[in-house]
Amino acid sequence: MAEMTSAGPAGLSRRQEEEAFYHEAALNATWTGTRLMIGILVSAIGCFIFAFFYLRSLNSHNDWYPAGFTGPKQWQGAVIMALIVVSALLQSAGLTQIKAGRRGAWLGAATVALVLGVVGGALQIWQLTVLPFQPGASGFASVFVGTQPVIIALVLGTMIWLEILLVRARGIPEISFVEQPPTFAEAADVQRFQASLSALTLFWNFVALTELVFWVLFYLIH
Amino acid sequence: MAIETEPGTTQHPGGGQPAGGAARRPWWMRPAIHTGLIGAVIGYAFGHWLGNLIASGYQQVGTSDQNDTAIVLGYLFMVIGWLAGLGVFNDLFKQMAGRRLAEAENGNGPGGLAQYFRFHLDHKVVGIQYLVGMIIYFCTAGLLAMGIRTELLSPVHHVFSSATYIEIVGEHGTMMMMLMTSVILGPFGNYLIPIMIGSKRVAYPRLEALSFWLTPAAFMILLSALLLGGFHMGWTGYPTLSIQDTSGADAYAFAFGLMGISMTLAGFNILVTVICYRAPGMRWSRLPMFVWGILGTAVMMALAAPVLSGGMYMLLTDRTVQTAFFTDQLGGSTYLWEDVFWFFGHPEVYILALPGFGIVCELLPVFTRKPLFGYKVAAAGMIGVTLLSFFVWQHHLFDSGINPDMRPLYMLTTEMISIPTGFIFLVGMGTLWKAKIRFTVPMLFCFAFFFNFLIGGISGVFNSDAPADVTEHGSFFVMAHFHYTIMGGLIFAFMGGCYYWLPKMMGIKLNEKLGYWHFWLMFLGFNSTFMPLFAVGWLGQPRRVFEYALRLQTLNDWVSISSYVLGFSILLFVINFVWSTVVTRVRETGNPWESRGLEWQIPSPPPAYNFEHVPVVLSGPYEYGSEGSEPVADLNPPVGVLAAAFSGSETARAEA
Amino acid sequence: MAAETQAATPAAKAGGPNHGLRIFLIWIVLALAADLVLWFVLGPHIPPGRLGSAAQGQQFDNNVMIAMSAPVLVLVLVYFTYAIVVWRRRPGDDADGPPLHGHSRIQALWITVTSVMVLSLAAFGTYELIVPYGAGGGEGPSPIWNPPGAELTAAAQQRPWAPGHVLVVQVIGQQWRFTYRYPGLGGFETTELVLPVNTMIQFDVTSIDVIHSFWAYQLGVKADANPGVDNVAYTKTQHLGRVTVRCAELCGLWHGAMFNYGKVVTVPQFQAWASSTSVALADVTKLLPPYSTTYDPTEIAHLGPVLQKLGLTGAGGGYYPPQDPSQP
């Protein structure tokens, strides 16, 4: 974003000046908004984590995870979690590529990340249809069945965002990622794209972390 | 899920390109409320069909003859259809298809009355939409309260059946508690915050507009509970009662959860706007108190409302796919609900109080012609209330048997919250010192706010005391207490705000004579309604009963008759509102209150984009009485000032 | 309180009447008068009365808080009234008021005084909560503030009761009745609440359907009846009298009709009542599930006939079909 100063703020007309001002504000808003949204989602997801530990510690009628209860299949959980986490890592790696000016490398990594994410989400939906227990079979079963759709919505929602960025990246000439574009509008475009991409990467890593946390909760410690 | 649209990153603020092709189609082809309704009907039919397809074989459905899955899916797709019909998703799909968005977000759309029936991205339009919506919701819920009071005229003769009575109680409570959370943040927050901080726009106009358009959906869904047999568990929806209840409980949980999302989005947008879009010179120490109040509200909304939505979602899964979050014999616990619900529920009541604090702090300096006394104390009070509000929720559960040994802690935090609340009184009293009070209608409402909130606050100390709360909990005492804080605080402040800001928002002043009548009837009616209820509660009448002790009939009748006076005063307000804004339309374009607020330095109603140029704020908003104090802002700063401010912030960021 | 320094400082600087002193004087007279009237005239009549020790504690609590909050209330009201009368704009005066931005000593004093008041109230409330064994509120299944001789397990509760000991009364909430079970007196279950005087009572409150709240008004007891939870509350009966019992948590259609009356009687009367009731209900008692601190509605579905024999036509321990509520 340091390119902006090279244009020399003093030489801007009033309208350009205001555009630059609100452009700057929009970049800040993306940064702030993403972190705030993560806070909001921590609050929402915290509700389910709270339910997990609360019901687990209460264990009313010894029905949190009764003897003989069959949980979800270990391999399913591991595969889904791995898909999402790998997807997030790929996207993070891709981000360093595009920051270094290599759009193509990012496009490739992000496309794979998108596919992995969508497959991960789809697998979770499929897993819900083949569960070896009824939703109300135990406290654990309730929390599991209740939480999964929330995570699925998070994963697929983030994938829509990634898809939008993939499509948008096509409209930006590759050279713009390497050097300062000639016009203010183009420069602003690239900067907004980059801000959004950084935000997405952070967000996707947050979702992957959520997935990881719930994998630990549901498959390791239940 | 909302963030992926990233509106902030795809618009050119200040860009004045003409609206896209959509504007050229005939009106009935363009998305508006009618297409939304069509979408809702189609969506409901589809969702209901889908739910029947999925769940009609469930044993639960067979035995109870009610398919909650079909109803909940119906509501879900109804909301999706409603939003799709309004055109909410158009921009999302455009972005997914890689097309650029039209940049007609802020005042560039088609004007006139029609814009208020559209998914409109101008924060001023959204503010007016909220204002009208909130008045409608408030009056609906208020009418239900009249119904409650009518039933309570007699302990033995009944107007309603016990079922209808409980339905009315639940509808009244839920509608007020879920929709009135936005009664100030929605209209005044959305409309005025950007102007007060000197911004031409908000951070996320689409989310802001979405937050409004979810409210009519939530309102209609909540009302539709009556068609499904109502719900019989009050606004708190305690399981297992809410699990065994009729399908109306689906409507309750869905509407409340949906409103949770709306609150989250509204709070999110306001927060980011205030953090990122303040004009140059608008330091935190110059922020108007109203902005501080709304900021605190937004924090609570953004962090507490998601928990509400989560809890409502759990209730819905318990009722549809038969999870057992709240069923004790199957590994769940009703305590889980009580904790999750009140973790939201207590910040919620401060969501309902802080905007009122903000309004009175904003209005007092104007009508006392003095600076606000103790600006920092007031801001600290609001921040303190915001933070503490997350640590008090179990005082609703003193007698429930949850963590009984934690009661001293929650008693302490609850009583501590009266310290920052007391700051507002310090500020108010200090501001009145040697003032030149102008007794306008808004100022009268401010005085009433202090009177009511004083009683509400002091009775709150009684409730926070765990031993005394044993008697007061669940009685009319508590009911009177929170009506004093919410109705007496929030709604009085809202009314004050209406009289104060309508000249700004609509360019029209409300009739003053009717305003005085409205105020006095409302103030006297309100106190006459709720003051005796403290006694009624103390004398042993629990809430939500339709039969009570014969000896309490005199008090109850007094209350019921007063409540009709109160209702009539609200009717006067509505008449005044309609009369002044539709019939007489007395223009008021200047600064009738001689306020220093930034919002009053521009014409009324504000032009598109609020300001011709981004203003540079020069001094605080409450500098009354100081000789030669600077004007509040330079509305036409020389070229280069903005760039200097902006490059300064950029360097700071680069260094960071 | 806060008015005192307000009296001294800002007014002294300006000429004219000493507003602070005036307000202070009006306040101190009115506050004293209010406190005296409230404490001595109204105080003895403040709810919930003195039938139970918990109730008496709550009455004392209420009185202390009234005495503390009345001066605050009076201060604010006097100040506002004074401001409205004295500091109103005179016609034709369009000037602004003095530019006072704050006063650090008054602010500090206000914060200190309110903090001290609030913290002392919290300390007082904690004392009043712990010493009278939870002050009549529900304390969950294993209360940590319990009187000597409290019986916390089902086995201990079934040991025969003798006068002078803690009497365990199990309160079972169901739509829309409370029933009372006396484990120490043979374990019969009745719809009558009868208690001996001068006895520490332990209420074990539970529910077999939805959440109710057992509110014995004159005893100062309120405890939520949660399904699957034993919620314990204590009070000591102090003299003879009638007790109103109401449900204080919305529990469905007939929540408003969920009330009955109990009575506090002398110990011999209580013993006579207990033995005669025990005999009268012997055949019902045989059908009851064994005494336990909580009951599972799915396990006691056969309770229906029992409850009918007791004169109940309520839910009978099962979930009721909400479409057709039966009138109690």
Side-chain angles (χ1 to χ4, degrees):
Chain A
M1 274 134 238
E3 306 94 291
M4 279 312 304
T5 34
S6 61
L12 298 176
S13 74
R14 187 193 288 275
R15 182 165 163 196
Q16 283 173 318
E17 195 177 74
E18 290 198 353
E19 274 184 15
F21 180 76
Y22 281 113
H23 171 65
E24 185 77 5
L27 295 184
N28 283 335
T30 307
W31 191 94
T32 314
T34 316
R35 276 140 189 90
L36 195 61
M37 189 49 87
I38 287 176
I40 290 170
L41 288 171
V42 165
S43 191
I45 289 165
C47 175
F48 292 91
I49 296 181
F50 174 76
F52 182 93
F53 284 107
Y54 197 75
L55 295 184
R56 183 169 177 265
S57 65
L58 273 184
N59 195 12
S60 45
H61 288 252
N62 286 320
D63 253 349
W64 164 252
Y65 205 91
F69 177 80
T70 326
K73 297 255 187 328
Q74 286 288 345
W75 69 266
Q76 292 171 353
V79 167
I80 291 165
M81 185 274 297
L83 281 173
I84 305 290
V85 169
V86 168
S87 166
L89 291 178
L90 256 178
Q91 167 58 28
S92 305
L95 182 71
T96 61
Q97 292 297 311
I98 201 166
K99 274 187 176 164
R102 289 186 284 275
R103 186 183 68 158
W106 172 74
L107 271 179
T111 312
V112 178
L114 177 66
V115 172
L116 291 182
V118 171
V119 170
L123 272 182
Q124 286 186 76
I125 296 176
W126 167 79
Q127 188 196 23
L128 278 182
T129 64
V130 295
L131 287 179
F133 52 81
Q134 292 297 316
S138 68
F140 170 85
S142 302
V143 179
F144 184 86
V145 173
T147 309
Q148 289 300 319
V150 178
I151 303 178
I152 294 170
L154 260 184
V155 166
L156 296 182
T158 318
M159 287 304 95
I160 293 178
W161 187 2
L162 180 55
E163 192 270 348
I164 289 174
L165 289 179
L166 274 171
V167 180
R168 237 165 88 186
R170 296 237 184 83
I172 301 174
E174 184 152 12
I175 188 72
S176 296
F177 291 101
V178 185
E179 58 187 48
Q180 170 81 23
T183 67
F184 173 77
E186 280 176 277
D189 247 13
V190 177
Q191 285 178 17
R192 268 197 289 269
F193 173 79
Q194 284 171 329
S196 186
L197 187 63
S198 300
L200 165 95
T201 312
L202 180 75
F203 194 78
W204 188 219
N205 277 308
F206 161 72
V207 175
L209 183 68
T210 309
E211 189 83 48
L212 187 69
V213 166
F214 276 109
W215 177 73
V216 172
L217 294 189
F218 286 144
Y219 295 93
L220 298 189
I221 65 175
H222 45 256
Chain B
M1 266 126 289
I3 194 157
E4 72 268 18
T5 57
E6 273 306 292
T9 64
T10 50
Q11 295 151 11
H12 294 280
Q17 296 175 17
R24 282 187 285 277
R25 275 181 272 153
W27 68 268
W28 48 271
M29 294 273 290
R30 276 181 283 148
I33 199 164
H34 64 285
T35 51
L37 287 172
I38 294 170
V41 170
I42 296 172
Y44 186 81
F46 172 75
H48 199 83
W49 169 81
L50 188 69
N52 275 327
L53 187 74
I54 295 172
S56 54
Y58 282 11
Q59 187 195 353
Q60 164 74 13
V61 174
T63 51
S64 70
D65 200 28
Q66 73 185 38
N67 188 345
D68 294 303
T69 310
I71 290 166
V72 171
L73 280 180
Y75 282 141
L76 179 66
F77 283 96
M78 183 168 95
V79 172
I80 292 173
W82 161 249
L83 296 179
L86 283 165
V88 175
F89 302 125
N90 292 1
D91 287 346
L92 180 65
F93 290 143
K94 267 187 206 161
Q95 283 190 312
M96 287 176 72
R99 282 161 55 199
R100 297 190 68 93
L101 300 181
E103 280 141 14
E105 90 191 28
N106 198 344
N108 271 358
L113 203 56
Q115 65 183 345
Y116 296 106
F117 295 93
R118 296 221 154 87
F119 180 73
H120 202 285
L121 302 186
D122 183 355
H123 69 90
K124 297 190 284 298
V125 174
V126 176
I128 299 287
Q129 287 170 335
Y130 255 117
L131 180 67
V132 176
M134 285 298 150
I135 291 175
I136 292 173
Y137 309 148
F138 177 72
C139 291
T140 314
L143 279 178
L144 292 165
M146 306 274 108
I148 298 174
R149 286 319 315 179
T150 307
E151 165 64 42
L152 292 178
L153 275 169
S154 163
V156 282
H157 296 100
H158 297 304
V159 181
F160 305 112
S161 71
S162 68
T164 314
Y165 174 72
I166 293 292
E167 283 162 31
I168 292 174
V169 170
E171 287 278 346
H172 164 74
T174 313
M175 198 173 290
M176 286 292 190
M177 290 309 263
M178 71 180 212
L179 286 161
M180 289 306 110
T181 48
S182 304
V183 75
I184 289 176
L185 188 138
F188 302 136
N190 283 323
Y191 197 106
L192 296 165
I193 292 281
I195 304 179
M196 282 181 162
I197 62 170
S199 172
K200 290 185 170 189
R201 49 165 295 156
V202 295
Y204 295 104
R206 284 172 184 78
L207 298 187
E208 182 192 44
L210 175 61
S211 81
F212 167 73
W213 284 106
L214 289 176
T215 63
F219 174 68
M220 293 310 292
I221 290 173
L222 188 69
L223 273 184
S224 75
L226 294 175
L227 304 176
L228 297 169
F231 56 93
H232 306 90
M233 67 280 187
W235 82 280
T236 49
Y238 279 3
T240 44
L241 184 61
S242 52
I243 290 172
Q244 68 169 220
D245 208 341
T246 45
S247 303
D250 297 329
Y252 157 84
F254 197 94
F256 217 156
L258 194 66
M259 198 54 209
I261 294 173
S262 161
M263 276 186 248
T264 311
L265 297 180
F268 173 71
N269 171 55
I270 295 270
L271 271 176
V272 180
T273 305
V274 175
I275 292 172
C276 298
Y277 282 83
R278 277 166 299 132
M282 180 52 85
R283 305 178 196 141
W284 290 103
S285 58
R286 285 177 183 165
L287 222 50
M289 284 325 295
F290 178 67
V291 181
W292 277 111
I294 293 293
L295 204 59
T297 312
V299 169
M300 288 187 281
M301 278 191 173
L303 293 182
V307 179
L308 169 81
S309 295
M312 291 294 164
Y313 165 82
M314 289 179 196
L315 181 58
L316 283 177
T317 58
D318 264 19
R319 288 182 55 87
T320 54
V321 297
Q322 309 296 313
T323 54
F325 279 107
F326 307 125
T327 308
D328 170 67
Q329 305 97 288
L330 299 173
S333 168
T334 53
Y335 281 171
L336 174 63
W337 171 269
E338 294 185 333
D339 266 328
V340 167
F341 183 84
W342 286 114
F343 183 80
F344 155 79
H346 207 79
E348 140 121 57
V349 303
Y350 288 99
I351 288 173
L352 294 167
L354 267 192
F357 294 180
I359 285 189
V360 293
C361 288
E362 189 68 29
L363 265 54
L364 270 181
V366 179
F367 296 113
T368 55
R369 312 310 297 168
K370 281 186 68 209
L372 190 72
F373 182 87
Y375 176 94
K376 282 183 185 159
V377 175
M382 293 186 187
I383 295 169
V385 169
T386 307
L387 294 179
L388 274 175
S389 72
F390 286 99
F391 300 99
V392 298
W393 81 94
Q394 283 203 358
H395 66 212
H396 295 267
L397 307 167
F398 276 158
D399 304 328
S400 68
I402 297 180
N403 303 344
D405 41 342
M406 297 281 271
R407 283 180 293 177
L409 174 69
Y410 284 100
M411 185 167 18
L412 176 68
T413 53
T414 308
E415 293 192 349
M416 269 168 65
I417 214 165
S418 54
I419 300 174
T421 311
F423 289 2
I424 306 301
F425 280 88
L426 170 67
V427 169
M429 288 161 73
T431 310
L432 286 175
W433 181 265
K434 292 189 176 173
K436 309 222 172 193
I437 304 169
R438 300 182 176 178
F439 289 94
T440 57
V441 180
M443 187 61 183
L444 289 177
F445 276 105
C446 283
F447 277 122
F449 171 93
F450 279 107
F451 180 79
N452 296 337
F453 209 88
L454 178 68
I455 293 170
I458 285 180
S459 58
V461 174
F462 286 72
N463 289 324
S464 69
D465 184 87
D469 186 57
V470 170
T471 289
E472 286 142 16
H473 170 79
S475 77
F476 265 71
F477 187 94
V478 170
M479 208 280 269
H481 156 69
F482 72 73
H483 277 82
Y484 258 96
T485 56
I486 297 174
M487 170 103 195
L490 182 87
I491 300 299
F492 273 75
F494 168 75
M495 292 300 177
C498 279
Y499 283 95
Y500 180 71
W501 276 310
L502 271 183
K504 169 52 57 191
M505 294 168 71
M506 295 185 154
I508 279 164
K509 201 169 177 176
L510 291 181
N511 185 305
E512 209 160 8
K513 201 167 223 172
L514 267 177
Y516 284 116
W517 273 99
H518 165 211
F519 168 77
W520 283 109
L521 278 180
M522 184 166 164
F523 179 66
L524 297 175
F526 170 79
N527 279 292
S528 172
T529 303
F530 290 101
M531 195 84 80
L533 288 181
F534 286 116
V536 169
W538 250 356
L539 292 171
Q541 184 169 327
R543 291 166 66 183
R544 297 151 169 169
V545 295
F546 67 106
E547 283 178 349
Y548 54 88
L550 279 170
R551 67 199 160 89
L552 295 177
Q553 186 175 2
T554 317
L555 277 172
N556 272 293
D557 286 356
W558 174 278
V559 167
S560 291
I561 292 165
S562 306
S563 77
Y564 300 139
V565 177
L566 180 58
F568 178 72
S569 74
I570 304 292
L571 180 69
L572 271 188
F573 168 72
V574 174
I575 290 173
N576 194 354
F577 186 81
V578 176
W579 179 256
S580 303
T581 57
V582 180
V583 185
T584 56
R585 298 186 65 83
V586 180
R587 305 299 300 179
E588 181 64 72
T589 50
N591 185 354
W593 317 111
E594 300 175 323
S595 166
R596 275 181 57 89
L598 183 52
E599 77 273 24
W600 291 103
Q601 311 309 316
I602 57 172
S604 313
Y609 299 113
N610 309 338
F611 300 96
E612 197 182 339
H613 309 294
V614 178
V616 172
V617 179
L618 300 174
S619 64
Y622 308 122
E623 301 299 321
Y624 297 99
S626 317
E627 287 300 318
S629 62
E630 287 199 81
V632 69
D634 185 355
L635 294 177
N636 193 7
V639 183
V641 172
L642 190 58
F646 141 76
S647 65
S649 79
E650 192 191 41
T651 344
R653 222 157 49 92
E655 282 165 4
Chain C
M1 271 177 293
E4 197 167 358
T5 26
Q6 271 168 353
T9 35
K13 274 184 253 160
N18 191 335
H19 298 296
L21 187 65
R22 282 192 197 167
I23 293 173
F24 176 71
L25 290 176
I26 302 172
W27 168 70
I28 199 134
V29 171
L30 287 182
L32 255 177
D35 259 358
L36 290 175
V37 169
L38 289 171
W39 184 271
F40 290 106
V41 180
L42 198 61
H45 306 290
I46 288 294
R50 299 178 178 194
L51 188 61
S53 60
Q56 189 175 357
Q58 291 162 26
Q59 188 188 51
F60 179 64
D61 251 47
N62 279 330
N63 274 321
V64 168
M65 282 188 293
I66 288 172
M68 269 186 101
S69 50
V72 178
L73 192 84
V74 171
L75 171 68
V76 178
L77 292 183
V78 165
Y79 188 94
F80 272 81
T81 315
Y82 188 88
I84 288 171
V85 173
V86 177
W87 293 320
R88 59 193 309 148
R89 181 179 68 144
R90 308 296 160 192
D93 179 8
D94 282 341
D96 286 352
L100 281 173
H101 283 92
H103 191 282
S104 49
R105 270 177 52 202
I106 287 177
Q107 283 163 219
L109 186 77
W110 177 282
I111 294 170
T112 316
V113 170
T114 52
S115 303
V116 168
M117 279 179 70
V118 160
L119 294 180
S120 53
L121 267 182
F124 169 73
T126 306
Y127 176 82
E128 282 290 307
L129 177 71
I130 293 177
V131 173
Y133 318 119
E139 292 202 86
S142 41
I144 54 171
W145 302 310
N146 46 26
E151 313 279 17
L152 295 176
T153 61
Q157 287 168 358
Q158 290 182 77
R159 281 201 291 267
W161 176 77
H165 288 87
V166 174
L167 175 71
V168 177
V169 180
Q170 182 175 50
V171 181
I172 305 169
Q174 59 183 299
Q175 288 166 327
W176 291 274
R177 277 293 173 97
F178 287 113
T179 56
Y180 309 95
R181 205 167 174 185
Y182 291 81
L185 295 159
F188 62 87
E189 184 179 356
T190 157
T191 55
E192 280 182 285
L193 177 64
V194 180
L195 301 170
V197 74
N198 288 326
T199 306
M200 178 60 76
I201 312 288
Q202 173 183 322
F203 289 107
D204 280 59
V205 185
T206 188
S207 164
I208 50 175
D209 39 44
V210 303
I211 300 178
H212 305 270
S213 188
F214 171 70
W215 183 12
Y217 176 76
Q218 287 86 347
L219 293 175
V221 168
K222 190 178 282 152
D224 280 10
N226 299 278
V229 178
D230 176 26
N231 196 8
V232 178
Y234 296 100
T235 191
K236 188 173 182 206
T237 51
Q238 305 197 124
H239 53 82
L240 307 181
R242 199 168 78 141
V243 179
T244 314
V245 175
R246 291 214 67 151
C247 177
E249 189 58 68
L250 180 55
C251 56
L253 300 186
W254 296 102
H255 161 66
M258 189 165 166
F259 61 91
N260 63 354
Y261 299 98
K263 55 188 171 185
V264 180
V265 298
T266 61
V267 176
Q269 279 172 335
F270 173 74
Q271 283 172 314
W273 169 83
S275 51
S276 68
T277 313
S278 188
V279 172
L281 291 174
D283 54 336
V284 178
T285 310
K286 269 184 286 177
L287 291 172
L288 289 173
Y291 178 79
S292 155
T293 51
T294 63
Y295 300 96
D296 186 335
T298 53
E299 287 162 13
I300 52 168
H302 65 277
L303 213 58
V306 177
L307 295 168
Q308 261 166 14
K309 250 183 180 163
L310 281 170
L312 296 183
T313 50
Y319 289 129
Y320 74 108
Q323 295 87 347
D324 67 330
S326 49
Q327 182 124 5

